[in-house]
Amino acid sequence: MSFNRTRAVKAANEARKSAALLGLGLDNNDGQTRITRGNNFLLLGGSQETHGIMQETAVKVNEQLEKRGKRLENVSVGELRDICRDVTESIRRS
């Protein structure tokens, strides 16, 4: 494979790169089915309270990514971990 072809394949793979957050709530006892889809997240299940916390978390993570000028698929694992920690701490304080 030529150098230009290798570069083109790598660029195509980068263009297709995607990522999403998946939230699973397992504490539902009221028989309700809760599903929330967002631009880069899918939240399933949970009690009303748990699902609400997952929604708030996903929205705030996206806000932090936007604030940093980044997309989920381009952020490092360490940076995403830091964002999630900051978001969950802010939710606990409120």
Side-chain angles (χ1 to χ4, degrees):
M1 191 181 300
S2 72
F3 178 72
N4 286 337
R5 171 109 171 103
T6 303
R7 183 179 283 170
V9 168
K10 185 175 181 181
N13 286 338
E14 287 294 318
R16 288 189 299 234
K17 194 174 183 183
S18 66
L21 299 173
L22 175 63
L24 298 174
L26 304 175
D27 65 339
N28 181 0
N29 292 323
D30 63 8
Q32 296 294 313
T33 301
R34 295 179 177 87
I35 300 172
T36 303
R37 293 180 186 167
N39 188 31
N40 62 355
F41 65 88
L42 174 62
L43 310 174
L44 303 168
S47 64
Q48 184 174 357
E49 178 183 6
T50 297
H51 199 83
I53 292 169
M54 290 191 300
Q55 288 172 322
E56 185 177 3
T57 301
V59 167
K60 287 186 175 190
V61 165
N62 281 324
E63 288 172 355
Q64 287 298 312
L65 289 169
E66 187 175 323
K67 192 177 192 181
R68 296 173 186 220
K70 300 201 174 178
R71 296 174 48 113
L72 184 59
E73 58 268 19
N74 298 326
V75 72
S76 71
V77 172
E79 189 171 6
L80 180 59
R81 185 181 311 117
D82 292 343
I83 290 170
C84 290
R85 183 190 62 240
D86 293 345
V87 166
T88 55
E89 286 175 3
S90 75
I91 291 171
R92 285 184 189 140
R93 287 191 298 261
S94 50

Coordinates of all heavy atoms in Angstrom, one line a residue:
M1 N 0.8 -1.2 0.0 CA 0.0 0.0 0.0 C 0.9 1.2 0.0 O 1.8 1.3 0.8 CB -0.9 0.0 1.2 CG -2.0 1.0 1.2 SD -3.1 1.0 2.6 CE -3.8 -0.6 2.7
S2 N 0.6 2.2 -0.8 CA 1.4 3.4 -0.9 C 1.2 4.3 0.3 O 0.2 4.2 1.0 CB 1.1 4.1 -2.2 OG -0.2 4.7 -2.1
F3 N 2.1 5.2 0.5 CA 2.0 6.1 1.6 C 0.7 7.0 1.5 O 0.0 7.2 2.5 CB 3.3 7.0 1.6 CG 3.2 8.1 2.7 CD1 3.4 7.7 4.0 CD2 3.0 9.4 2.4 CE1 3.4 8.6 5.0 CE2 3.0 10.3 3.4 CZ 3.2 9.9 4.7
N4 N 0.4 7.5 0.3 CA -0.8 8.3 0.1 C -2.1 7.5 0.4 O -3.0 8.0 1.0 CB -0.9 8.9 -1.3 CG 0.1 10.0 -1.4 OD1 0.5 10.6 -0.4 ND2 0.5 10.3 -2.7
R5 N -2.1 6.2 0.0 CA -3.2 5.4 0.2 C -3.4 5.1 1.7 O -4.5 5.2 2.3 CB -3.0 4.0 -0.5 CG -4.1 3.0 -0.2 CD -5.1 2.8 -1.3 NE -5.9 1.6 -1.0 CZ -7.1 1.8 -0.6 NH1 -7.7 2.9 -0.5 NH2 -7.9 0.7 -0.3
T6 N -2.3 4.9 2.4 CA -2.3 4.7 3.9 C -2.8 5.9 4.6 O -3.7 5.8 5.5 CB -0.9 4.4 4.4 OG1 -0.4 3.2 3.7 CG2 -0.9 4.1 5.9
R7 N -2.4 7.1 4.1 CA -2.9 8.3 4.7 C -4.4 8.5 4.5 O -5.1 8.9 5.3 CB -2.1 9.5 4.1 CG -2.5 10.8 4.8 CD -1.7 12.0 4.2 NE -0.4 11.9 4.8 CZ 0.6 12.7 4.4 NH1 0.5 13.5 3.3 NH2 1.8 12.6 4.9
A8 N -4.8 8.2 3.3 CA -6.2 8.3 2.9 C -7.1 7.3 3.8 O -8.2 7.7 4.2 CB -6.5 8.0 1.4
V9 N -6.6 6.1 4.0 CA -7.4 5.2 4.8 C -7.4 5.7 6.2 O -8.5 5.6 6.9 CB -6.7 3.8 4.7 CG1 -7.3 2.8 5.8 CG2 -6.9 3.2 3.3
K10 N -6.3 6.2 6.7 CA -6.3 6.7 8.1 C -7.3 7.9 8.2 O -8.0 8.0 9.2 CB -4.9 7.1 8.5 CG -4.8 7.5 9.9 CD -3.4 7.8 10.3 CE -3.3 8.3 11.8 NZ -2.0 8.6 12.2
A11 N -7.3 8.8 7.3 CA -8.2 9.9 7.3 C -9.7 9.5 7.2 O -10.5 10.0 7.9 CB -7.9 10.9 6.1
A12 N -10.0 8.5 6.4 CA -11.3 7.9 6.3 C -11.8 7.3 7.7 O -12.9 7.5 8.1 CB -11.4 6.9 5.2
N13 N -10.9 6.6 8.3 CA -11.2 6.0 9.6 C -11.4 7.1 10.6 O -12.3 6.9 11.5 CB -10.1 5.1 10.1 CG -10.1 3.8 9.3 OD1 -11.1 3.4 8.7 ND2 -8.9 3.1 9.3
E14 N -10.6 8.1 10.6 CA -10.8 9.2 11.6 C -12.2 9.9 11.3 O -12.9 10.3 12.3 CB -9.7 10.3 11.4 CG -8.4 9.8 12.0 CD -8.4 9.6 13.5 OE1 -9.0 10.4 14.2 OE2 -7.9 8.6 14.0
A15 N -12.6 10.1 10.1 CA -13.9 10.7 9.7 C -15.0 9.9 10.2 O -16.1 10.4 10.6 CB -14.0 10.9 8.2
R16 N -14.9 8.6 10.3 CA -16.0 7.7 10.7 C -16.0 7.5 12.2 O -16.9 6.9 12.8 CB -15.8 6.3 10.0 CG -16.2 6.3 8.6 CD -16.3 4.9 8.1 NE -15.0 4.3 8.2 CZ -14.3 3.7 7.2 NH1 -14.8 3.7 6.0 NH2 -13.2 3.1 7.4
K17 N -15.0 7.9 12.9 CA -14.9 7.7 14.3 C -16.1 8.3 15.1 O -16.5 9.4 14.8 CB -13.6 8.4 14.8 CG -13.1 8.1 16.2 CD -11.8 8.7 16.4 CE -11.2 8.4 17.7 NZ -10.0 9.1 18.0
S18 N -16.7 7.5 15.9 CA -17.8 8.0 16.7 C -17.7 7.5 18.1 O -17.0 6.5 18.4 CB -19.1 7.6 16.1 OG -19.3 6.2 16.1
A19 N -18.5 8.1 19.0 CA -18.5 7.7 20.4 C -19.8 8.0 21.0 O -20.5 8.9 20.5 CB -17.4 8.3 21.2
A20 N -20.2 7.3 22.0 CA -21.5 7.6 22.7 C -21.4 7.2 24.2 O -20.6 6.3 24.5 CB -22.6 6.9 22.0
L21 N -22.1 7.8 25.0 CA -22.2 7.5 26.4 C -23.5 6.6 26.5 O -24.5 6.9 25.9 CB -22.4 8.7 27.3 CG -21.3 9.7 27.3 CD1 -21.7 10.9 28.1 CD2 -20.0 9.1 27.9
L22 N -23.4 5.5 27.3 CA -24.5 4.6 27.5 C -24.8 4.6 29.0 O -23.9 4.3 29.8 CB -24.2 3.2 27.0 CG -25.2 2.1 27.3 CD1 -26.5 2.4 26.6 CD2 -24.7 0.8 26.9
G23 N -26.0 4.9 29.4 CA -26.4 4.9 30.8 C -27.4 3.8 31.0 O -28.4 3.8 30.3
L24 N -27.2 3.0 32.0 CA -28.2 1.9 32.3 C -28.6 2.1 33.8 O -27.8 2.0 34.7 CB -27.5 0.5 32.1 CG -27.1 0.2 30.7 CD1 -26.3 -1.1 30.7 CD2 -28.3 0.1 29.8
G25 N -29.9 2.3 34.0 CA -30.4 2.3 35.3 C -31.1 1.0 35.6 O -32.0 0.5 34.9
L26 N -30.8 0.4 36.7 CA -31.3 -0.9 37.1 C -32.2 -0.9 38.3 O -32.5 -2.0 38.8 CB -30.1 -1.9 37.3 CG -29.1 -2.0 36.1 CD1 -27.9 -2.9 36.5 CD2 -29.8 -2.5 34.8
D27 N -32.6 0.2 38.7 CA -33.3 0.3 40.0 C -34.8 0.6 39.8 O -35.5 1.1 40.6 CB -32.7 1.3 40.9 CG -32.8 2.7 40.4 OD1 -32.9 2.9 39.2 OD2 -32.7 3.7 41.2
N28 N -35.4 0.3 38.6 CA -36.7 0.6 38.3 C -37.7 -0.4 38.9 O -37.6 -1.6 38.6 CB -36.9 0.6 36.8 CG -38.3 1.0 36.4 OD1 -39.2 1.2 37.2 ND2 -38.5 1.0 35.1
N29 N -38.6 0.0 39.7 CA -39.6 -0.9 40.3 C -41.0 -0.5 40.0 O -42.0 -1.1 40.5 CB -39.4 -0.9 41.8 CG -38.1 -1.6 42.2 OD1 -37.7 -2.5 41.6 ND2 -37.5 -1.1 43.3
D30 N -41.2 0.6 39.2 CA -42.5 1.1 38.9 C -43.1 0.7 37.6 O -44.2 1.1 37.2 CB -42.6 2.6 39.0 CG -41.7 3.3 38.0 OD1 -41.2 2.7 37.1 OD2 -41.6 4.6 38.1
G31 N -42.4 -0.2 36.8 CA -42.9 -0.7 35.6 C -42.8 0.2 34.4 O -43.3 -0.1 33.3
Q32 N -42.3 1.4 34.6 CA -42.1 2.4 33.5 C -40.9 2.1 32.7 O -39.9 1.6 33.2 CB -42.0 3.8 34.1 CG -43.2 4.3 34.8 CD -44.4 4.5 33.9 OE1 -44.3 5.1 32.8 NE2 -45.5 4.0 34.3
T33 N -41.0 2.3 31.4 CA -39.9 2.2 30.5 C -39.4 3.6 30.2 O -40.1 4.4 29.6 CB -40.3 1.5 29.2 OG1 -40.9 0.2 29.5 CG2 -39.1 1.3 28.2
R34 N -38.1 3.8 30.6 CA -37.5 5.1 30.3 C -36.4 5.0 29.4 O -35.5 4.2 29.6 CB -37.1 5.7 31.7 CG -38.2 6.0 32.6 CD -37.7 6.5 34.0 NE -38.8 6.9 34.8 CZ -39.4 6.0 35.6 NH1 -38.9 4.7 35.7 NH2 -40.4 6.3 36.4
I35 N -36.5 5.8 28.3 CA -35.4 5.8 27.3 C -35.2 7.3 26.9 O -36.2 8.0 26.6 CB -35.8 5.0 26.0 CG1 -36.1 3.6 26.4 CG2 -34.7 5.2 24.9 CD1 -36.7 2.8 25.2
T36 N -34.0 7.7 26.9 CA -33.6 9.1 26.5 C -32.5 9.0 25.5 O -31.5 8.3 25.8 CB -33.2 10.0 27.7 OG1 -34.3 10.0 28.6 CG2 -32.9 11.4 27.2
R37 N -32.7 9.6 24.3 CA -31.6 9.6 23.3 C -31.1 11.0 23.1 O -32.0 11.9 23.1 CB -32.1 9.0 22.0 CG -32.4 7.6 22.0 CD -32.9 7.1 20.7 NE -33.4 5.7 20.8 CZ -34.1 5.1 19.9 NH1 -34.4 5.7 18.8 NH2 -34.4 3.9 20.2
G38 N -29.9 11.2 23.0 CA -29.3 12.5 22.7 C -28.3 12.3 21.6 O -28.1 11.3 21.0
N39 N -27.6 13.4 21.3 CA -26.7 13.5 20.2 C -25.6 12.4 20.3 O -25.2 11.8 19.3 CB -26.1 14.9 20.0 CG -25.2 15.1 18.8 OD1 -25.5 14.4 17.8 ND2 -24.2 15.9 18.9
N40 N -25.1 12.2 21.5 CA -24.1 11.2 21.7 C -24.3 10.4 22.9 O -23.3 10.0 23.6 CB -22.7 11.9 21.7 CG -22.6 12.9 22.8 OD1 -23.5 13.2 23.5 ND2 -21.4 13.5 23.0
F41 N -25.5 10.2 23.3 CA -25.8 9.3 24.4 C -27.1 8.6 24.3 O -28.0 9.0 23.6 CB -25.8 10.1 25.7 CG -26.8 11.2 25.9 CD1 -28.1 10.9 26.4 CD2 -26.6 12.5 25.5 CE1 -29.0 11.9 26.6 CE2 -27.6 13.5 25.6 CZ -28.8 13.2 26.2
L42 N -27.2 7.5 25.0 CA -28.4 6.7 25.1 C -28.6 6.3 26.6 O -27.7 5.7 27.2 CB -28.4 5.5 24.2 CG -29.5 4.5 24.3 CD1 -30.8 5.1 23.9 CD2 -29.2 3.2 23.5
L43 N -29.7 6.6 27.2 CA -30.0 6.3 28.6 C -31.2 5.4 28.6 O -32.2 5.6 28.0 CB -30.3 7.6 29.3 CG -29.3 8.7 29.2 CD1 -29.8 10.0 29.9 CD2 -27.9 8.3 29.6
L44 N -31.0 4.3 29.3 CA -32.1 3.2 29.4 C -32.4 2.9 30.9 O -31.5 2.6 31.7 CB -31.6 2.0 28.7 CG -31.2 2.1 27.2 CD1 -30.5 0.8 26.8 CD2 -32.4 2.4 26.4
G45 N -33.7 2.9 31.2 CA -34.1 2.3 32.5 C -33.9 3.3 33.6 O -33.7 4.5 33.5
G46 N -34.0 2.7 34.8 CA -33.8 3.4 36.0 C -35.1 3.9 36.6 O -36.1 4.0 35.9
S47 N -35.1 4.2 37.9 CA -36.2 4.9 38.5 C -36.3 6.3 37.9 O -35.4 6.7 37.2 CB -36.0 4.9 40.0 OG -34.9 5.7 40.3
Q48 N -37.4 7.0 38.2 CA -37.5 8.4 37.8 C -36.3 9.2 38.2 O -35.8 10.0 37.5 CB -38.8 9.0 38.3 CG -39.1 10.4 37.7 CD -40.5 10.9 38.1 OE1 -41.3 10.2 38.7 NE2 -40.7 12.1 37.7
E49 N -35.9 9.0 39.5 CA -34.8 9.8 40.0 C -33.5 9.4 39.3 O -32.7 10.3 38.9 CB -34.7 9.5 41.5 CG -33.5 10.3 42.2 CD -33.3 10.0 43.6 OE1 -34.0 9.1 44.2 OE2 -32.4 10.6 44.2
T50 N -33.2 8.1 39.2 CA -32.0 7.7 38.6 C -31.9 8.2 37.1 O -30.9 8.7 36.7 CB -31.9 6.2 38.6 OG1 -31.8 5.8 40.0 CG2 -30.6 5.7 37.9
H51 N -33.0 8.0 36.4 CA -33.0 8.4 35.0 C -32.8 9.9 34.9 O -32.0 10.4 34.0 CB -34.3 8.0 34.3 CG -34.2 8.0 32.8 ND1 -33.7 6.9 32.2 CD2 -34.5 8.9 31.9 CE1 -33.7 7.2 30.9 NE2 -34.2 8.4 30.7
G52 N -33.4 10.7 35.8 CA -33.2 12.1 35.8 C -31.7 12.5 36.1 O -31.2 13.4 35.4
I53 N -31.1 11.8 37.0 CA -29.6 12.0 37.2 C -28.8 11.7 36.0 O -27.9 12.4 35.7 CB -29.2 11.3 38.5 CG1 -29.8 11.8 39.7 CG2 -27.7 11.3 38.6 CD1 -29.7 11.0 41.0
M54 N -29.1 10.6 35.3 CA -28.4 10.2 34.1 C -28.6 11.3 33.1 O -27.6 11.7 32.4 CB -28.9 8.9 33.6 CG -28.5 7.7 34.5 SD -28.7 6.1 33.7 CE -30.5 6.0 33.4
Q55 N -29.8 11.8 32.9 CA -30.0 12.9 31.9 C -29.2 14.1 32.3 O -28.6 14.7 31.4 CB -31.5 13.3 31.9 CG -32.4 12.2 31.3 CD -33.9 12.6 31.4 OE1 -34.3 13.1 32.5 NE2 -34.6 12.3 30.4
E56 N -29.2 14.5 33.5 CA -28.5 15.7 33.9 C -27.0 15.5 33.7 O -26.3 16.4 33.2 CB -28.8 16.0 35.4 CG -28.1 17.3 35.9 CD -28.5 17.6 37.3 OE1 -29.2 16.8 38.0 OE2 -28.0 18.7 37.8
T57 N -26.5 14.3 34.0 CA -25.1 14.0 33.8 C -24.7 14.1 32.3 O -23.7 14.7 32.0 CB -24.8 12.6 34.4 OG1 -25.1 12.6 35.7 CG2 -23.3 12.3 34.2
A58 N -25.5 13.5 31.4 CA -25.2 13.5 30.0 C -25.2 14.9 29.5 O -24.3 15.3 28.7 CB -26.2 12.6 29.3
V59 N -26.2 15.7 29.9 CA -26.3 17.1 29.4 C -25.1 17.9 29.8 O -24.4 18.6 29.0 CB -27.6 17.7 29.8 CG1 -27.6 19.2 29.6 CG2 -28.8 17.1 29.1
K60 N -24.7 17.7 31.1 CA -23.5 18.5 31.6 C -22.2 18.0 31.0 O -21.3 18.9 30.8 CB -23.5 18.4 33.2 CG -24.6 19.3 33.8 CD -24.5 19.3 35.3 CE -25.6 20.3 35.8 NZ -25.4 20.6 37.2
V61 N -22.1 16.8 30.8 CA -20.9 16.3 30.1 C -20.8 16.9 28.7 O -19.7 17.4 28.3 CB -20.9 14.7 30.0 CG1 -19.8 14.3 29.0 CG2 -20.6 14.1 31.4
N62 N -21.9 17.0 28.0 CA -21.9 17.6 26.7 C -21.6 19.1 26.8 O -20.8 19.6 25.9 CB -23.2 17.4 26.0 CG -23.3 16.0 25.3 OD1 -22.3 15.5 24.8 ND2 -24.5 15.4 25.3
E63 N -22.1 19.8 27.8 CA -21.8 21.2 28.0 C -20.3 21.4 28.3 O -19.7 22.3 27.7 CB -22.6 21.7 29.2 CG -24.0 21.9 28.9 CD -24.9 22.3 30.1 OE1 -24.3 22.3 31.3 OE2 -26.1 22.5 30.0
Q64 N -19.7 20.5 29.1 CA -18.2 20.6 29.3 C -17.4 20.4 28.1 O -16.4 21.0 27.9 CB -17.8 19.6 30.5 CG -18.3 20.1 31.8 CD -17.7 21.4 32.2 OE1 -16.5 21.6 32.1 NE2 -18.6 22.3 32.7
L65 N -17.8 19.4 27.3 CA -17.1 19.1 26.0 C -17.2 20.3 25.1 O -16.2 20.7 24.5 CB -17.7 17.9 25.4 CG -17.4 16.5 26.0 CD1 -18.2 15.4 25.4 CD2 -15.9 16.2 25.9
E66 N -18.4 20.9 25.0 CA -18.5 22.1 24.2 C -17.7 23.2 24.6 O -17.1 23.9 23.9 CB -20.0 22.5 24.1 CG -20.3 23.6 23.1 CD -21.8 23.8 23.0 OE1 -22.6 22.9 23.1 OE2 -22.2 25.0 22.8
K67 N -17.7 23.4 26.0 CA -16.9 24.5 26.6 C -15.4 24.4 26.2 O -14.7 25.3 26.0 CB -17.1 24.4 28.1 CG -16.6 25.6 28.9 CD -17.0 25.4 30.3 CE -16.8 26.6 31.2 NZ -17.2 26.3 32.6
R68 N -15.0 23.1 26.2 CA -13.6 22.8 25.9 C -13.3 22.8 24.4 O -12.2 22.6 23.9 CB -13.1 21.5 26.5 CG -13.2 21.5 28.0 CD -13.0 20.2 28.6 NE -13.1 20.2 30.0 CZ -12.4 19.5 30.9 NH1 -11.4 18.8 30.5 NH2 -12.6 19.6 32.2
G69 N -14.4 22.9 23.6 CA -14.2 22.8 22.1 C -13.9 21.4 21.6 O -13.2 21.3 20.6
K70 N -14.4 20.4 22.3 CA -14.1 19.0 21.9 C -15.3 18.3 21.7 O -16.4 18.7 22.1 CB -13.3 18.4 23.0 CG -12.0 19.1 23.3 CD -11.0 18.2 24.0 CE -9.7 19.0 24.1 NZ -8.7 18.2 24.7
R71 N -15.2 17.1 21.0 CA -16.3 16.2 20.8 C -15.9 14.9 21.5 O -14.8 14.6 21.8 CB -16.4 15.9 19.3 CG -16.8 17.2 18.5 CD -16.8 16.9 17.0 NE -17.5 15.6 16.7 CZ -18.6 15.6 16.0 NH1 -19.2 16.6 15.6 NH2 -19.2 14.4 15.8
L72 N -17.0 14.2 21.9 CA -16.8 13.0 22.7 C -15.8 12.0 22.0 O -14.9 11.4 22.7 CB -18.1 12.3 22.9 CG -18.1 11.0 23.8 CD1 -17.6 11.4 25.2 CD2 -19.5 10.5 23.9
E73 N -15.9 11.8 20.7 CA -15.0 10.9 20.0 C -13.6 11.3 20.0 O -12.7 10.5 19.6 CB -15.6 10.6 18.6 CG -15.7 11.7 17.7 CD -17.1 12.4 17.8 OE1 -17.8 12.1 18.8 OE2 -17.4 13.1 16.9
N74 N -13.3 12.6 20.3 CA -11.9 13.1 20.2 C -11.3 13.4 21.6 O -10.1 13.7 21.6 CB -11.9 14.4 19.4 CG -12.3 14.1 18.0 OD1 -12.1 13.1 17.4 ND2 -13.0 15.1 17.4
V75 N -12.0 13.2 22.6 CA -11.5 13.4 24.0 C -10.8 12.2 24.5 O -11.2 11.0 24.2 CB -12.6 13.9 24.9 CG1 -13.5 12.8 25.3 CG2 -12.0 14.6 26.1
S76 N -9.7 12.3 25.2 CA -9.0 11.2 25.7 C -9.8 10.6 26.9 O -10.7 11.2 27.5 CB -7.6 11.6 26.3 OG -7.7 12.4 27.5
V77 N -9.5 9.3 27.2 CA -10.2 8.6 28.3 C -9.9 9.4 29.6 O -10.9 9.6 30.4 CB -9.7 7.2 28.4 CG1 -10.2 6.5 29.6 CG2 -10.1 6.4 27.1
G78 N -8.7 9.8 29.8 CA -8.4 10.5 31.0 C -9.2 11.8 31.2 O -9.7 12.2 32.2
E79 N -9.3 12.6 30.1 CA -10.0 13.8 30.1 C -11.5 13.6 30.3 O -12.2 14.3 31.1 CB -9.8 14.6 28.8 CG -10.3 16.0 28.9 CD -9.9 16.9 27.7 OE1 -9.3 16.4 26.7 OE2 -10.2 18.1 27.7
L80 N -12.0 12.6 29.7 CA -13.5 12.2 29.9 C -13.7 11.8 31.3 O -14.7 12.2 31.9 CB -13.9 11.1 28.9 CG -15.3 10.7 29.1 CD1 -16.3 11.9 28.8 CD2 -15.6 9.5 28.1
R81 N -12.8 11.1 31.9 CA -12.9 10.7 33.3 C -12.9 11.9 34.2 O -13.7 12.0 35.1 CB -11.7 9.8 33.7 CG -11.8 9.2 35.1 CD -10.6 8.4 35.5 NE -10.3 7.4 34.5 CZ -9.2 7.3 33.8 NH1 -8.2 8.2 34.0 NH2 -9.0 6.4 32.9
D82 N -12.1 12.9 33.9 CA -12.0 14.1 34.7 C -13.3 14.9 34.5 O -13.9 15.4 35.5 CB -10.9 15.0 34.3 CG -9.5 14.4 34.6 OD1 -9.4 13.5 35.5 OD2 -8.5 14.9 34.0
I83 N -13.8 15.0 33.3 CA -15.1 15.7 33.1 C -16.2 15.0 33.9 O -17.0 15.7 34.5 CB -15.4 15.8 31.6 CG1 -14.5 16.7 30.9 CG2 -16.9 16.2 31.3 CD1 -14.5 16.6 29.3
C84 N -16.3 13.7 33.8 CA -17.4 13.0 34.5 C -17.3 13.2 36.0 O -18.3 13.3 36.7 CB -17.3 11.5 34.1 SG -17.8 11.1 32.4
R85 N -16.1 13.1 36.5 CA -15.9 13.4 38.0 C -16.3 14.7 38.4 O -17.1 14.9 39.3 CB -14.4 13.2 38.4 CG -14.2 13.3 39.9 CD -12.7 13.4 40.2 NE -12.1 14.6 39.6 CZ -11.1 14.5 38.8 NH1 -10.5 13.4 38.4 NH2 -10.6 15.6 38.3
D86 N -16.0 15.8 37.6 CA -16.4 17.1 37.9 C -17.9 17.3 37.8 O -18.5 17.9 38.7 CB -15.7 18.1 36.9 CG -14.2 18.2 37.1 OD1 -13.7 17.7 38.2 OD2 -13.5 18.8 36.2
V87 N -18.5 16.7 36.8 CA -19.9 16.8 36.6 C -20.7 16.1 37.8 O -21.6 16.6 38.4 CB -20.4 16.2 35.3 CG1 -21.9 15.9 35.2 CG2 -19.9 17.1 34.1
T88 N -20.2 14.9 38.1 CA -20.9 14.1 39.2 C -20.8 14.9 40.5 O -21.7 14.9 41.3 CB -20.5 12.7 39.3 OG1 -19.1 12.6 39.5 CG2 -20.9 11.9 38.1
E89 N -19.6 15.5 40.8 CA -19.4 16.2 42.0 C -20.3 17.5 42.0 O -20.9 17.8 43.1 CB -18.0 16.6 42.2 CG -17.0 15.5 42.5 CD -15.6 15.9 42.6 OE1 -15.2 17.1 42.3 OE2 -14.7 15.0 42.8
S90 N -20.5 18.1 40.9 CA -21.4 19.3 40.8 C -22.8 18.9 41.0 O -23.6 19.6 41.7 CB -21.2 20.1 39.5 OG -21.8 19.4 38.4
I91 N -23.2 17.7 40.5 CA -24.6 17.3 40.7 C -24.9 16.9 42.2 O -25.9 17.2 42.7 CB -24.9 16.1 39.8 CG1 -25.0 16.5 38.4 CG2 -26.2 15.4 40.2 CD1 -25.0 15.4 37.3
R92 N -23.9 16.3 42.8 CA -24.0 16.0 44.3 C -24.2 17.2 45.1 O -24.9 17.2 46.1 CB -22.9 15.1 44.7 CG -22.9 13.7 44.2 CD -21.7 12.9 44.8 NE -21.7 11.6 44.2 CZ -20.6 11.0 43.8 NH1 -19.4 11.6 44.1 NH2 -20.6 9.9 43.2
R93 N -23.5 18.3 44.8 CA -23.5 19.5 45.6 C -24.9 20.2 45.4 O -25.3 21.0 46.3 CB -22.4 20.5 45.1 CG -21.0 20.0 45.6 CD -20.0 21.2 45.4 NE -19.9 21.5 44.0 CZ -18.9 21.1 43.2 NH1 -18.0 20.3 43.7 NH2 -18.8 21.4 41.9
S94 N -25.6 20.0 44.3 CA -26.8 20.7 44.1 C -28.0 20.0 44.7 O -28.0 19.1 45.4 CB -27.1 21.0 42.6 OG -26.9 19.8 41.8

